[in-house]
Amino acid sequence: MTALPMVEAIRLALGRAMEDDPDVVLLGEDVGLDGGVFRATDGLFKRFGEQRVLDTPLSEAGIAGLAVGLAAQGLRPVLEIQFTGFIYPALDQIVNHASRLRTRTRGRLTCPMVVRSPCGGGIRAVEHHSESPEAMFAHVPGLRVVIPSSARRAYGLLLAAIRDPDPVVFLEPTKLYRLSKEEVEDDGTALPLDRCFVLREGRDVTIVAWGAMVHEALDAATRLAAAGVSAEVIDVATLKPLDAGTIVASVAKTGRCVVAHEAPLTAGYGAEVAARLAEHALLNLIAPVVRVAGWDTVMPLPRLEHHYLPNAARIAAAARKVMTFR
Amino acid sequence: MAIAAKRKGKADEPDAAPADLLRYYREMLLIRRFEEKAGQMYGMGLIGGFCHLYIGQEAVVVGMQAAITPQDAVITSYRDHGHMLACGMDPAGVMAELTGRRGGYSRGKGGSMHMFSKEKNFYGGHGIVAAQVPIGTGLAFGFKYRGQPNVCLTYFGDGAVNQGQVYESFNMAQLWKLPVVYIIENNKYGMGTSVERASATTEFHQRGAAHGIPGEAVDGMDVLAVKEAGERAVAHARTGKGPYILEMKTYRYRGHSMSDPAKYRSKEEVERMRTQHDPIEQLAKVLGERGIADEATLKKLDREVKDIVSAAAEFAQNSPEPDPAELFTDVLLEA
């Protein structure tokens, strides 16, 4: 077993999925010969050929529609959209068609496609190269929304997403692509979708996060422990459908919850987590649920990025605030 | 209009066998009577929402269907009832979907615009103008990927030709030589706006020129002209030469949908198309001239078709409503 950065674990999973199933097709802008803007598909073109690793024109709506057609034929297209800001032209196909094929055909046709896209900030790229549109997709019935936060989870969740019979929006935090390494065994084992992962157990406060914020949450938990506060950290991983049970059970124990995400605060996915807790854990709550999020602004230019992105300090401060409720 | 004069085939080659001509007549008539009934049922409040009738355009789908095999795929926009019937889908199942009943093709959850049949290789019924074009291109890609010798007929209207997705698709289809035939049903109006008022150029069969895609204009009111052009286009796509564009000059007699005040065209124009260019009347004339069917035979056919449509309407009214529990089914695969 070797320790890999997340982007290499993604490549490993793509190669494994293609090896296992000739119906898996990769397509996207520069994914073939060039190996992808973040090198996620590097080497796959040579290994599997241009029939299966397809360099497409710059036509996001067109290639998303093409993928829906492939999926309707029973193939398993894995589409890379170069940055989440480029995904908006493809929304028509993802929202109006991919997500509804099962319903419209009553399951006679399904849409087993994966839309991979690098997301989130922290790499000093301008707005549409740094956005976090997960709540937008989570709002759409018929889509799964998955965000990995480590190499091992990226490998297992991507394999699960590709094997899933329904469309999955798979958002990959760019900041995590090469942030750290983790041992990944390329044995083709998928991780379960629709499940949260409890990464650190604690008694006093539950910190809920996904993507790059998971690392800030873990860092915050370490800082809190030094101050005598025991924090539980949950990686949501699959945002839709949400494994609310794991979060509710945790808050039933801790009585306090901080939700952290990069996306703007208003109508962000943190609101969904807070609402679920209000519905299912109100009487367990000792303190209000606090959201630590991006501001309600456009993702700022690089020099201001660190003022925008939530970090361990802000998460720890929020946790200390909820700890004042006894 | 004399049908035979306009076709490009050699004069001494028969365009279709007598039995085939009768079949085209019957299929066009079935679509006509089905749509008349659907319009009637809409008026009675039995069909909700929107309903886009195909009356006037029947020759397009019947002629194109005659040019393909049952293993080829078909995809279209929301004016889709005719395409489904031409593909051989059951009129009762289509009508019951219009009434939103359990017996419908999507068991009451698809409606007029969203029906599919995997068995008949009909991939919908799509309500977003032009969104079916890249999907159809993908279906063609699927055939090529799997090495199947099939083509995908991808229909869209004159309103869709100005959408960007169409040109993204043209580029990919020609780049990868995909087996797709793009059929532009130019019925002269995108809802209430004429093509002249919406398009900088109106020779839509030339819209693939920038991508090197051949195209031709076809008299879409003449089923035999459609079939002949269709065979040429399908042969091109099937033999690895890539996409082909057919612009069908056609006409819809009814409104865009059932609620259409029709302020954008004159009654005289509609009347002229009905009396001088009707696809069914034109073929009836050919059948008579060639001694294939006399008036009595055609009347008998009409009765048979009406019986099928009546039975479909009967089924569509009596099929039970979907259970409320159906609200929650078929969103994602149930674990």
Side-chain angles (χ1 to χ4, degrees):
Chain A
M1 237 191 317
T2 35
L4 300 174
M6 192 174 89
V7 70
E8 286 182 28
I10 286 167
R11 187 187 311 145
L12 209 58
L14 292 170
R16 167 63 59 179
M18 295 186 78
E19 200 76 64
D20 290 351
D21 183 354
D23 285 343
V24 176
V25 189
L26 304 193
L27 64 160
E29 295 158 7
D30 305 309
V31 300
L33 195 58
D34 192 43
V37 66
F38 288 101
R39 325 299 312 152
T41 53
D42 199 23
L44 298 176
F45 182 83
K46 205 173 160 197
R47 189 167 149 204
F48 295 101
E50 60 179 354
Q51 270 296 104
R52 297 189 65 195
V53 185
L54 207 67
D55 279 315
T56 69
L58 306 186
S59 308
E60 287 82 8
I63 59 180
L66 193 88
V68 175
L70 290 173
Q73 289 271 39
L75 296 169
R76 292 184 180 270
V78 181
L79 175 65
E80 178 178 303
I81 298 288
Q82 213 158 56
F83 290 94
T84 43
F86 308 172
I87 217 167
Y88 304 126
L91 279 185
D92 173 38
Q93 289 295 341
I94 296 170
V95 177
N96 274 324
H97 300 281
S99 74
R100 301 178 192 191
L101 199 57
R102 176 183 289 281
T103 297
R104 283 177 187 160
T105 65
R106 306 312 307 271
R108 282 190 291 265
L109 296 176
T110 61
C111 195
M113 74 188 257
V114 177
V115 183
R116 293 179 42 243
S117 190
C119 75
I123 58 159
R124 304 198 155 211
V126 72
E127 38 164 291
H128 25 55
H129 295 66
S130 296
E131 290 174 348
S132 300
E134 67 270 15
M136 204 187 286
F137 291 108
H139 195 63
V140 178
L143 289 182
R144 272 198 165 75
V145 182
V146 177
I147 307 181
S149 66
S150 78
R152 210 178 297 152
R153 281 190 291 285
Y155 177 86
L157 291 171
L158 183 53
L159 277 179
I162 294 171
R163 292 170 189 166
D164 191 78
D166 291 301
V168 179
V169 176
F170 195 86
L171 300 174
E172 301 166 359
T174 36
K175 194 187 170 185
L176 303 187
Y177 271 149
R178 296 177 195 283
L179 185 75
S180 58
K181 291 183 178 184
E182 198 176 34
E183 290 200 334
V184 180
E185 188 164 9
D186 184 19
D187 60 358
T189 306
L191 282 170
L193 296 172
D194 310 348
R195 283 251 294 274
C196 294
F197 297 88
V198 179
L199 300 184
R200 177 180 174 129
E201 294 197 2
R203 294 180 314 272
D204 302 325
V205 57
T206 303
I207 306 175
V208 177
W210 49 92
M213 282 301 113
V214 168
H215 296 262
E216 301 298 329
L218 287 167
D219 187 2
T222 306
R223 295 178 190 206
L224 290 164
V229 174
S230 165
E232 181 143 310
V233 176
I234 295 179
D235 175 7
V236 176
T238 302
L239 276 72
K240 178 82 169 282
L242 175 65
D243 169 18
T246 296
I247 299 172
V248 167
S250 172
V251 172
K253 178 175 70 176
T254 62
R256 302 177 185 87
C257 183
V258 172
V259 193
H261 59 71
E262 289 185 39
L265 178 79
T266 303
Y269 198 74
E272 180 64 30
V273 174
R276 297 290 184 109
L277 291 172
E279 285 166 350
H280 301 294
L282 184 67
L283 300 180
N284 298 113
L285 282 169
I286 302 166
V289 177
V290 173
R291 291 172 293 165
V292 179
W295 314 117
D296 285 338
T297 67
V298 175
M299 184 77 193
L301 286 164
R303 294 288 166 200
L304 292 172
E305 192 183 49
H306 62 287
H307 293 296
Y308 174 92
L309 290 174
N311 54 26
R314 276 176 62 193
I315 295 168
R320 280 193 291 272
K321 194 172 121 192
V322 297
M323 285 308 295
T324 61
F325 292 81
R326 296 276 162 186
Chain B
M1 200 186 307
I3 289 192
K6 290 178 288 127
R7 284 195 303 279
K8 293 179 184 168
K10 289 177 197 150
D12 55 350
E13 277 179 21
D15 38 36
D20 288 334
L21 289 174
L22 260 182
R23 183 161 55 83
Y24 306 153
Y25 181 84
R26 191 174 187 280
E27 286 172 5
M28 288 198 290
L29 199 62
L30 175 65
I31 295 171
R32 176 74 52 97
R33 297 286 177 253
F34 180 95
E35 293 291 64
E36 286 167 352
K37 181 61 95 178
Q40 210 181 5
M41 288 172 63
Y42 190 92
M44 290 160 71
L46 295 167
I47 296 170
F50 296 95
C51 185
H52 308 89
L53 302 181
Y54 199 64
I55 296 175
Q57 302 181 212
E58 296 91 343
V60 176
V61 288
V62 171
M64 285 309 302
Q65 201 66 27
I68 60 171
T69 71
Q71 287 74 43
D72 294 322
V74 174
I75 186 168
T76 189
S77 70
Y78 50 82
R79 197 177 303 285
D80 56 357
H81 311 161
H83 303 69
M84 292 187 275
L85 297 177
C87 284
M89 288 168 67
D90 176 15
V94 178
M95 195 69 96
E97 191 59 38
L98 294 180
T99 56
R101 305 303 178 102
R102 227 182 279 183
Y105 266 98
S106 299
R107 300 208 300 277
K109 278 175 82 167
S112 165
M113 306 190 210
H114 298 126
M115 277 177 256
F116 297 75
S117 170
K118 204 175 171 180
E119 296 69 34
K120 300 290 182 189
N121 282 304
F122 179 72
Y123 287 86
H126 296 269
I128 301 294
V129 174
Q132 78 278 14
V133 181
I135 300 176
T137 308
L139 291 167
F141 191 101
F143 286 139
K144 187 175 176 174
Y145 185 83
R146 292 203 158 129
Q148 288 169 246
N150 297 113
V151 301
C152 178
L153 301 187
T154 301
Y155 290 88
F156 52 104
D158 52 81
V161 297
N162 295 321
Q163 289 271 16
Q165 293 195 48
V166 170
Y167 301 94
E168 296 187 10
S169 302
F170 283 0
N171 180 50
M172 290 188 284
Q174 178 72 332
L175 179 67
W176 298 323
K177 298 282 184 248
L178 301 181
V180 54
V181 177
Y182 296 113
I183 302 148
I184 302 168
E185 296 195 65
N186 179 0
N187 64 18
K188 298 188 176 169
Y189 299 92
M191 205 163 129
T193 303
S194 68
V195 294
E196 293 79 13
R197 298 181 60 236
S199 294
T201 60
T202 56
E203 298 297 312
F204 297 138
H205 58 283
Q206 295 174 0
R207 288 283 179 107
H211 302 91
I213 304 174
E216 57 181 287
V218 183
D219 179 356
M221 304 302 274
D222 173 354
V223 69
L224 296 176
V226 171
K227 174 177 172 276
E228 193 206 282
E231 283 168 346
R232 197 161 39 245
V234 168
H236 180 92
R238 210 189 288 286
T239 50
K241 298 193 184 84
Y244 202 98
I245 296 170
L246 295 174
E247 178 193 354
M248 300 293 174
K249 305 270 192 190
T250 183
Y251 200 78
R252 66 168 153 75
Y253 298 171
R254 300 291 186 91
H256 162 74
S257 67
M258 297 304 294
S259 49
D260 180 347
K263 287 180 180 164
Y264 50 85
R265 62 182 183 184
S266 67
K267 283 202 175 85
E268 292 71 35
E269 179 185 297
V270 181
E271 198 47 37
R272 182 162 40 81
M273 290 306 291
R274 274 176 183 276
T275 51
Q276 295 175 24
H277 300 278
D278 186 76
I280 298 174
E281 292 296 318
Q282 289 193 76
L283 187 58
K285 203 162 159 240
V286 172
L287 290 170
E289 280 167 5
R290 296 190 190 175
I292 296 167
D294 57 14
E295 212 166 303
T297 313
L298 297 186
K299 272 204 173 129
K300 189 169 155 272
L301 264 180
D302 197 21
R303 273 197 302 277
E304 282 173 28
V305 163
K306 274 184 175 156
D307 286 346
I308 293 170
V309 170
S310 298
E314 190 71 18
F315 176 76
Q317 287 173 73
N318 296 326
S319 177
E321 307 232 342
D323 191 279
E326 293 273 320
L327 261 176
F328 302 101
T329 58
D330 298 313
V331 179
L332 294 170
L333 181 68
E334 273 123 75

